[in-house]
Amino acid sequence: MMTPPLSRRLAAEAVGTAVLAAVLVGSGIQATGLSQDGGVQFLANVLASVLALAVLIALLAPVSGAHFNPLVSAAAWWTDRRSGTGLTARELGAYVLAQLAGAVVGAGVANAMFERPFVQLSGHDRSAGHLWLAEGVATGVLILLVFGLLRSDRARYAPVAVAAWIGAACWGTSSGSFANPALTFGRALSDSYTGIAPGSVPAFVLAQVVGAGVGLTLVTLLFGRSSDRAPDDARELVAH
């Protein structure tokens, strides 16, 4: 299958990340307005987010790979940088910008849908070592899952598998599994249930980067190098 033009791939990444951010932030706002029970709020937010993620991956993977995550794009570039079958450095930069822009717009639209300012900086401080560890774990397993599916020729399972891991990680990690620098940045622009204070973002992103590096190392350890798989699988990358 021919690779779509870069403009279409960037549009898919921006739109997909925007919709994901809008559902993530919007469902959090909706949940807190409908229930005072913290468990119910969290369940509603997680359920809406993973359903949206699965649908968006299934829809947009044939166009851009449905990364929606700068670390997935960076890992795709890194693993295929010598083969010439994956993203170029220029395309990686464009993907990341599209994802960041999508996250900002999506969070803003969610704010606006619930009669809040388009940009409303979050006051939710999330600065603690156990949260950073949780982000590293959530992101590392995400990268292991995405690229493990690729190396084992099972990318077709990605919509369900990735959404399932994100849902499990939301409940199983203390940070709630942001696992995505773009969405972390977008969530800083909404002072709502899912928000994160701007001052907490750098450490979260650093933990995610470290986790992604560990995840890539595990991929090589468990599934071999990228040269061990078919080149045609290079674009079918998906993630939160």
Side-chain angles (χ1 to χ4, degrees):
M1 183 173 66
M2 291 184 60
T3 301
L6 181 60
S7 59
R8 282 177 53 197
R9 287 183 280 150
L10 295 181
E13 287 297 303
V15 169
T17 309
V19 173
L20 187 57
V23 171
L24 174 64
V25 173
S27 63
I29 298 173
Q30 182 82 289
T32 55
L34 295 176
S35 174
Q36 299 303 310
D37 186 304
V40 173
Q41 293 171 358
F42 191 62
L43 176 61
N45 181 233
V46 172
L47 181 60
S49 299
V50 299
L51 289 175
L53 179 60
V55 169
L56 290 168
I57 290 172
L59 175 66
L60 297 176
V63 182
S64 67
H67 300 184
F68 313 144
N69 187 330
L71 291 177
V72 173
S73 299
W77 167 77
W78 178 260
T79 56
D80 292 321
R81 67 193 186 283
R82 293 190 180 93
S83 68
T85 60
L87 294 175
T88 65
R90 172 177 167 271
E91 289 174 332
L92 170 61
Y95 263 53
V96 171
L97 290 176
Q99 292 156 357
L100 287 171
V104 170
V105 171
V109 168
N111 286 334
M113 286 193 296
F114 290 91
E115 298 183 301
R116 296 171 175 235
F118 190 85
V119 173
Q120 187 181 44
L121 297 182
S122 176
H124 291 247
D125 181 70
R126 300 178 189 263
S127 298
H130 67 284
L131 300 179
W132 303 331
L133 174 61
E135 278 302 287
V137 171
T139 309
V141 176
L142 174 64
I143 296 298
L144 172 61
L145 173 62
V146 170
F147 289 87
L149 289 173
L150 278 174
R151 300 283 172 88
S152 57
D153 193 28
R154 292 178 294 170
R156 61 189 177 279
Y157 298 122
V160 172
V162 172
W165 167 246
I166 293 301
C170 284
W171 282 98
T173 64
S174 58
S175 66
S177 182
F178 286 40
N180 184 327
L183 291 181
T184 302
F185 183 73
R187 289 163 74 154
L189 305 179
S190 179
D191 191 23
S192 60
Y193 178 75
T194 59
I196 177 173
S200 300
V201 170
F204 255 55
V205 172
L206 177 60
Q208 292 161 0
V209 170
V210 172
V214 173
L216 272 180
T217 301
L218 290 175
V219 171
T220 300
L221 176 65
L222 298 175
F223 295 96
R225 298 185 179 277
S226 58
S227 57
D228 297 335
R229 65 178 172 81
D232 288 345
D233 290 338
R235 267 197 330 107
E236 297 300 321
L237 299 168
V238 288
H240 174 39

